[in-house]
Amino acid sequence: MAFAHVYLFAGPEIGERNSAVESLRQQARRTLQTLDEYTFYAHETSVSDVVGLLCNESLFAAARFIVLKNAELIKKKDDIARIAALSAGAEDTKGVAAASVLVLVSDSVSVDKKLEAAVPKNNRKIFWELFENRKEQWLVSFFQRAGFSIEPEAVQTILELVENNTDALRTECSRFMLCLERGSRVTAAAVEQFIAHNREESPFTLFDALSCTADNSRHRLETSLDILHKIRLSKDSSSIQLLAGLTFCFRKLRQWHSLYAGQRGVSEFDLKKAGFSSKKARTQYTAAARMWSAAQTEAILALIARTDMAMRTLGQAAETTLLELLLYSIVLKRGAMLESVSYDWP
């Protein structure tokens, strides 16, 4: 019977989550010596294809190590049954060393309950976003280990500028090791120089620009289009991943609306469980909720899905135009179809 050790790593703390995946990968390499490794996304590759790959023997490797991202999208009964069968087979053959590994990964803190139940309890973990004081400690320790010191104002500036997970923090803060001499003290001015003025754009910075309540509609659209073009020109540009990132942000906004839909107060635990533990995230989604209502958020998610489908149908030549129209609809139409109403500039 085909089997695989199945793991479920969920939650918004990407850095610690990636470290856990890498630890599993290194363990598998040490045990098996030869390993076929793959990364798939649930919105691009079917679960049946992933399971089929795990079940087919490889001519050149002892086993396969597969990371399947966006696991929150796995909801079909048949798909969950396939994963459950793989996991059950591994539980029945614990003594067998040459076993493939399937790691289900999600930025959300929860997945379908039946999918969660299909994964052994010891193989499931939620990586919660760090509290503000832990992020500050992480940053200070990161610089100290590299032979630098950092002033408190610089720590706060970094947390305001960088997406709040340790993976993004590590990537951005590594700039200082290349630009400053070991033993230097990192100041807020240095952070502005090396991060604010050299920041790489991403779907998350694009969402920041789209939801910036300080700007009028014209400026938000101009800024968003500028970020879009920078992303398109980057070497790692991927329109599908750009849409996936925007989908993640607007799903988080939908979750924020759901939290505040009732009359009861929202507790710290509720916010933390939903992935809104940081001050920055709460400020950002408070602003976004003022920008788009719950109904408009649903309309935008549907619009992103239609744009994804159109890009896959029309091909690469139409991607830039479709993405520009998407941003126009999000900013000026609040998710409404372009042909529905006219809009006058403020």
Side-chain angles (χ1 to χ4, degrees), residues 167-193:
D167 188 59
L169 290 171
R170 182 182 293 106
T171 299
E172 292 292 342
C173 292
S174 295
R175 298 175 186 268
F176 296 94
M177 287 58 178
L178 301 174
C179 303
L180 298 177
E181 292 185 6
R182 187 180 176 88
S184 299
R185 183 168 178 80
V186 178
T187 64
V191 173
E192 289 285 345
Q193 179 183 354

Side-chain angles (χ1 to χ4, degrees), residues 28-29 31-36 60-64:
R29 286 173 180 168
T31 303
L32 304 170
Q33 302 301 317
T34 56
L35 197 66
D36 283 339
F60 307 104
R64 291 185 168 92

Side-chain angles (χ1 to χ4, degrees), residues 27-279:
Q27 180 182 339
R29 286 173 180 168
R30 287 193 299 270
T31 303
L32 304 170
Q33 302 301 317
T34 56
L35 197 66
D36 283 339
E37 301 176 30
Y38 304 87
T39 297
F40 298 113
Y41 293 84
H43 65 279
E44 295 180 339
T45 306
S46 69
V47 170
S48 60
D49 287 343
V50 173
V51 172
L53 186 59
L54 286 165
C55 292
N56 292 330
E57 293 186 3
S58 171
L59 295 175
F60 307 104
R64 291 185 168 92
F65 187 97
I66 297 180
V67 177
L68 181 58
K69 298 186 176 183
N70 302 129
E72 71 278 1
L73 301 179
I74 302 173
K75 299 178 182 293
K76 293 181 180 178
K77 183 178 179 180
D78 290 346
D79 289 342
I80 295 174
R82 290 186 180 99
I83 293 172
L86 283 175
S87 182
E91 287 294 290
D92 293 338
T93 53
K94 289 182 178 179
V96 179
S100 292
V101 176
L102 173 63
V103 187
L104 304 172
V105 172
S106 173
D107 290 333
S108 301
V109 295
S110 62
V111 298
D112 188 283
K113 295 298 181 184
K114 292 181 179 178
L115 177 62
E116 182 179 336
V119 180
K121 185 176 181 180
N122 291 338
N123 291 3
R124 305 191 308 250
K125 185 172 182 180
I126 296 176
F127 294 85
W128 298 102
E129 186 174 294
L130 301 182
F131 284 116
E132 290 297 313
N133 61 338
R134 282 198 61 199
K135 289 173 188 171
E136 293 172 4
Q137 294 168 4
W138 188 94
L139 279 170
V140 172
S141 298
F142 178 84
F143 281 103
Q144 287 178 342
R145 289 194 302 270
F148 295 81
S149 61
I150 182 169
E151 62 182 28
E153 293 82 0
V155 170
Q156 294 304 316
T157 304
I158 290 172
L159 292 177
E160 290 173 2
L161 290 173
V162 181
E163 186 187 346
N164 278 300
N165 64 74
T166 55
D167 188 59
L169 290 171
R170 182 182 293 106
T171 299
E172 292 292 342
C173 292
S174 295
R175 298 175 186 268
F176 296 94
M177 287 58 178
L178 301 174
C179 303
L180 298 177
E181 292 185 6
R182 187 180 176 88
S184 299
R185 183 168 178 80
V186 178
T187 64
V191 173
E192 289 285 345
Q193 179 183 354
F194 295 123
I195 295 182
H197 299 303
N198 296 285
R199 182 174 60 166
E200 292 185 3
E201 302 294 0
S202 71
F204 303 101
T205 61
L206 178 56
F207 181 75
D208 284 343
L210 289 169
S211 58
C212 181
T213 54
D215 296 332
N216 61 33
S217 297
R218 179 191 292 271
H219 191 266
R220 282 194 298 122
L221 180 58
E222 291 174 348
T223 302
S224 300
L225 287 172
D226 184 52
I227 292 173
L228 170 64
H229 295 152
K230 288 179 180 178
I231 293 174
R232 296 283 291 156
L233 290 171
S234 68
K235 62 181 180 180
D236 297 322
S237 172
S238 167
S239 297
I240 300 301
Q241 291 310 307
L242 172 60
L243 292 181
L246 284 178
T247 298
F248 171 79
C249 292
F250 280 100
R251 281 179 178 159
K252 291 278 287 183
L253 178 57
R254 178 171 63 188
Q255 196 172 16
W256 180 272
H257 278 302
S258 297
L259 281 172
Y260 285 92
Q263 296 300 316
R264 64 182 180 84
V266 180
S267 67
E268 282 287 325
F269 176 77
D270 291 332
L271 288 168
K272 180 175 180 292
K273 184 178 179 181
F276 301 106
S277 58
S278 73
K279 181 179 178 181

